[in-house]
Amino acid sequence: MDLFKPNLPIKVRQRRSFSLAEKMTILDRLSKGLSATKIAREYNVNESTIRHMRKQEATIRMAAHSMTSKIASGSKRNRNLQMSKMEACLNIWLDDMRAKRLPISHIKVKSKALKLYELIGKHELYEHIGFSASNGWFERFKRKFELYELRPQDDRAPSNEIEFRITTKGAIAEGNISNDQIFTVDNTVFSWKRLPQMEGEYNVTMLFCCNATGNFITPPVLYSNEASEPTSRSVFVQLDRPGSISTQNVRNWFYTFFVPKAENYLSESNLSDRAIVLLAHDQNYPKDLVHHSFDIAVFPADCNSSCLPTGQGILTHFNAVYLKRLSLKLKDLVQCGKTLQEAWDLFSIDDATEILETMITQLDSRAMRNGWARLLDGTVEDHSNDEIVQDTVDILHSIGLESVTVEALHNQITPQELSNEEVIEIYFHHQKELDQSNLFSFGQPPSVEKLPAEEYMDPDLRNTLLIEINHHMLALKNAQKFFEENDKNKARSEAITKRLKQVHIWMREMKNEVHPPDPVEIDPIDIKIEPVEFSVEMIDSD
């Protein structure tokens, strides 16, 4: 009898990999009382696989809540928590840089990643391997977050920008179009109530349009959620998120607001009804915008920050003029007998709207034209906001804000990059808000009271275990340091260090099982951070 039958099919169970999102779903089902046997049967895996997930529940949950949806839905392992938190913080910084139209280069992103990783590592829960911001990591990071706008160097224009500028100038020459017939549309977070030394910051999203001569400026349209609380920090969120300016918002604005005003302007200026409208790439612009008088062109993603006229000084000048008018409004209220705080409390969105409607004619056309100089190869004219800022400082000093400086106002009207500490502060102190708007939603994890270690372990025994675990973790650290400093056999020292780090990780997991930590309550770094209120600015869909 031939025992070896090569033609018989051999049934081999394929190895199954679970994403973190799937692991979270399984853990939630286990917490509701479903047996590991039944879940293993549904997923066609060994029961030991499901039980192993239960043992690593604390680790999995902390990893999942430190990751964005794009990463968590595709990740097949419990990633280095420090790496996950760094990438989440880096994405916050990138969102803010895009909103402020600041240039983002490969070198700048890598440098920021290294600094954030080091800063988070000062108080990290888990041991980690080194991080060098390699090209491999950078390419994976770009794919995860679809970062198409990154350029190799700050001072080197990408090929897309050069090609777009050539194409635009060719279309202008071919159509015999003047600068009066070239328009741009952009949106940005606009602080309608903000001053140094005054409490609170009130933001809305502003849709802004002007032409290349500065002779045509539409009254800005503001979008906001009336129910939202005022924010204490301006952090722009991705435009494809629910509550932001929608495609329909832009379409309605274009056909019912922009087109009539632009056609009327062209007619009164004795210009032809032929014009070009330039849109930023990261807006929710409709792909079907069509009009017989206006050709629609979209900036390539990687030249938004360098070619968009609004990002080349136009909005800075706009903010300077608005801030001066705001200060004059407060001065009028103070002269009518109000205290400065009463005047500040009385200043409303209606007052801001009134200022916006009347200040359009006060914008300097030189500043407006300078914004187009890079795109159209124009001449940069002599212009500065210094006089406006100095006048604003004098007005504020006259109503009691004597310590306001010119530098502080310049920082307020000019987009400033978030510092590393500010990015970390936003991530750690507002993680719950970010979970709702920017991170993956896994459903509610089991409450701390339902975890076995919390529910069944005697408090005295738990405290004793925690003391012992901390003692052994400290001993591991000391042993690692001893071998690194004293063992002359470097190969042996590295091997021992690697093993000790692994044991340290297991001790951390054991500690988390005994008393699971709350990531939101953990101070991320050894710096003093004052808690601030934060809410994502939501946009009215009407």
Side-chain angles (χ1 to χ4, degrees):
M1 183 177 180
D2 189 6
L3 297 178
F4 180 67
K5 298 180 180 180
N7 294 328
L8 288 179
I10 301 175
K11 187 176 182 180
V12 179
R13 176 178 289 177
Q14 293 184 349
R15 182 181 178 85
R16 172 69 188 274
S17 297
F18 293 91
S19 68
L20 283 179
E22 291 174 319
K23 291 179 182 180
M24 291 290 288
T25 301
I26 291 172
L27 290 174
D28 289 343
R29 296 179 69 187
L30 288 171
S31 68
K32 295 177 181 178
L34 199 64
S35 68
T37 303
K38 185 174 181 179
I39 295 176
R41 192 179 300 118
E42 290 181 12
Y43 285 94
N44 192 28
V45 296
N46 289 326
E47 186 178 345
S48 60
T49 301
I50 306 300
R51 289 176 177 171
H52 183 68
M53 289 185 194
R54 180 184 292 173
K55 290 180 180 179
Q56 289 192 314
E57 180 170 6
T59 303
I60 293 172
R61 290 195 181 281
M62 293 187 67
H65 284 286
S66 300
M67 302 171 72
T68 62
S69 58
K70 289 182 180 291
I71 304 173
S73 59
S75 180
K76 303 293 185 181
R77 60 190 178 89
N78 306 343
R79 298 183 78 239
N80 172 9
L81 285 182
Q82 186 172 347
M83 177 78 73
S84 301
K85 292 176 182 179
M86 179 275 291
E87 290 184 351
C89 291
L90 192 60
N91 206 32
I92 292 172
W93 174 76
L94 286 168
D95 278 346
D96 189 72
M97 292 288 284
R98 293 189 198 97
K100 295 172 178 176
R101 302 303 183 200
L102 296 174
I104 310 170
S105 67
H106 294 186
I107 296 176
K108 182 175 290 186
V109 173
K110 288 183 179 181
S111 175
K112 196 73 173 181
L114 285 170
K115 293 175 182 177
L116 289 173
Y117 189 84
E118 180 182 358
L119 204 56
I120 294 172
K122 289 184 178 180
H123 195 79
E124 181 57 36
L125 286 175
Y126 293 89
E127 291 293 342
H128 54 83
I129 60 175
F131 173 67
S132 60
S134 64
N135 291 333
W137 164 83
F138 181 70
E139 291 303 320
R140 291 191 296 272
F141 180 75
K142 283 175 62 176
R143 289 195 297 270
K144 290 174 191 173
F145 295 98
E146 301 177 355
L147 304 177
Y148 305 121
E149 76 273 27
L150 299 182
R151 56 183 59 199
Q153 308 259 345
D154 283 338
D155 56 352
R156 184 182 303 170
S159 57
N160 284 346
E161 176 182 324
I162 298 173
E163 182 180 351
F164 182 78
R165 289 163 60 185
I166 294 174
T167 303
T168 301
K169 286 183 287 186
I172 292 171
E174 182 180 348
N176 195 25
I177 294 174
S178 69
N179 286 358
D180 276 301
Q181 297 164 273
I182 309 172
F183 304 87
T184 188
V185 184
D186 194 12
N187 60 57
T188 183
V189 169
F190 174 64
S191 297
W192 63 270
K193 188 176 180 180
R194 178 189 176 195
L195 275 178
Q197 302 181 28
M198 300 304 294
E199 185 177 353
E201 177 181 338
Y202 301 79
N203 299 324
V204 292
T205 299
M206 177 177 70
L207 200 61
F208 181 85
C209 174
C210 66
N211 70 351
T213 60
N215 297 325
F216 174 88
I217 305 171
T218 61
V221 179
L222 307 181
Y223 298 82
S224 66
N225 181 359
E226 295 181 356
S228 65
E229 293 295 328
T231 65
S232 58
R233 187 179 305 281
S234 173
V235 178
F236 201 71
V237 296
Q238 295 177 6
L239 289 176
D240 58 357
R241 188 170 299 122
S244 300
I245 292 182
S246 67
T247 300
Q248 190 59 42
N249 291 144
V250 178
R251 182 182 291 107
N252 291 342
W253 175 87
F254 181 80
Y255 287 114
T256 64
F257 190 82
F258 168 75
V259 168
K261 292 183 178 296
E263 285 184 326
N264 184 58
Y265 169 76
L266 294 175
S267 175
E268 291 181 350
S269 303
N270 295 320
L271 297 169
S272 67
D273 60 356
R274 179 79 171 176
I276 296 177
V277 180
L278 302 174
L279 296 174
H281 180 275
D282 54 6
Q283 285 190 103
N284 262 352
Y285 61 88
K287 306 298 189 296
D288 57 351
L289 281 184
V290 177
H291 194 275
H292 61 85
S293 296
F294 302 98
D295 294 330
I296 310 298
V298 179
F299 286 95
D302 54 1
C303 67
N304 268 350
S305 61
S306 57
C307 273
L308 267 174
T310 50
Q312 307 304 311
I314 290 179
L315 289 178
T316 299
H317 175 63
F318 181 93
N319 291 334
V321 176
Y322 176 83
L323 198 60
K324 180 178 178 179
R325 295 294 304 278
L326 166 62
S327 303
L328 287 171
K329 179 66 176 180
L330 293 178
K331 183 176 181 179
D332 290 342
L333 291 173
V334 170
Q335 289 178 343
C336 291
K338 304 293 183 182
T339 66
L340 177 58
Q341 186 60 51
E342 289 173 340
W344 181 253
D345 294 338
L346 286 172
F347 188 83
S348 66
I349 187 66
D350 292 333
D351 296 318
T353 303
E354 181 182 348
I355 291 176
L356 291 173
E357 290 175 348
T358 58
M359 65 174 276
I360 300 301
T361 57
Q362 299 179 358
L363 296 176
D364 194 321
S365 58
R366 291 175 300 171
M368 309 303 290
R369 289 192 293 268
N370 284 346
W372 294 81
R374 181 181 178 89
L375 177 62
L376 304 179
D377 290 338
T379 303
V380 177
E381 303 180 45
D382 185 23
H383 174 268
S384 172
N385 295 310
D386 292 345
E387 184 177 348
I388 300 174
V389 172
Q390 185 59 60
D391 290 345
T392 305
V393 170
D394 294 339
I395 295 169
L396 295 176
H397 286 180
S398 69
I399 59 176
L401 296 177
E402 293 88 355
S403 57
V404 174
T405 63
V406 170
E407 181 182 4
L409 290 191
H410 269 299
N411 290 337
Q412 180 168 322
I413 66 173
T414 306
Q416 301 291 323
E417 178 180 339
L418 289 175
S419 68
N420 299 326
E421 289 76 11
E422 287 175 324
V423 175
I424 299 292
E425 177 185 349
I426 292 169
Y427 174 75
F428 279 96
H429 282 271
H430 311 292
Q431 192 167 351
K432 291 182 179 178
E433 289 84 352
L434 289 171
D435 282 342
Q436 297 174 1
S437 61
N438 196 36
L439 300 183
F440 193 86
S441 176
F442 295 102
Q444 293 297 324
S447 63
V448 175
E449 290 75 18
K450 292 183 180 180
L451 291 174
E454 289 287 323
E455 185 173 352
Y456 302 111
M457 187 175 294
D458 180 77
D460 293 335
L461 176 60
R462 183 188 307 117
N463 291 335
T464 301
L465 280 176
L466 287 175
I467 293 173
E468 287 294 320
I469 291 172
N470 288 332
H471 170 75
H472 291 301
M473 288 174 65
L474 179 60
L476 287 170
K477 279 285 189 181
N478 292 334
Q480 176 184 334
K481 184 177 180 181
F482 172 81
F483 281 103
E484 288 177 344
E485 294 178 352
N486 299 288
D487 193 350
K488 296 181 179 180
N489 187 329
K490 295 302 180 183
R492 181 176 60 197
S493 175
E494 290 177 0
I496 292 174
T497 298
K498 185 176 180 180
R499 293 292 180 88
L500 289 175
K501 285 184 176 181
Q502 183 59 60
V503 175
H504 195 274
I505 292 174
W506 291 332
M507 294 294 294
R508 281 287 187 184
E509 290 182 353
M510 181 179 177
K511 181 177 180 180
N512 293 336
E513 291 170 3
V514 173
H515 183 65
D518 183 356
V520 179
E521 298 298 332
I522 298 172
D523 288 332
I525 50 179
D526 297 328
I527 59 174
K528 293 183 179 180
I529 302 177
E530 295 296 331
V532 294
E533 296 181 0
F534 174 87
S535 63
V536 177
E537 191 69 53
M538 303 299 288
I539 312 299
D540 196 316
S541 60
D542 294 334

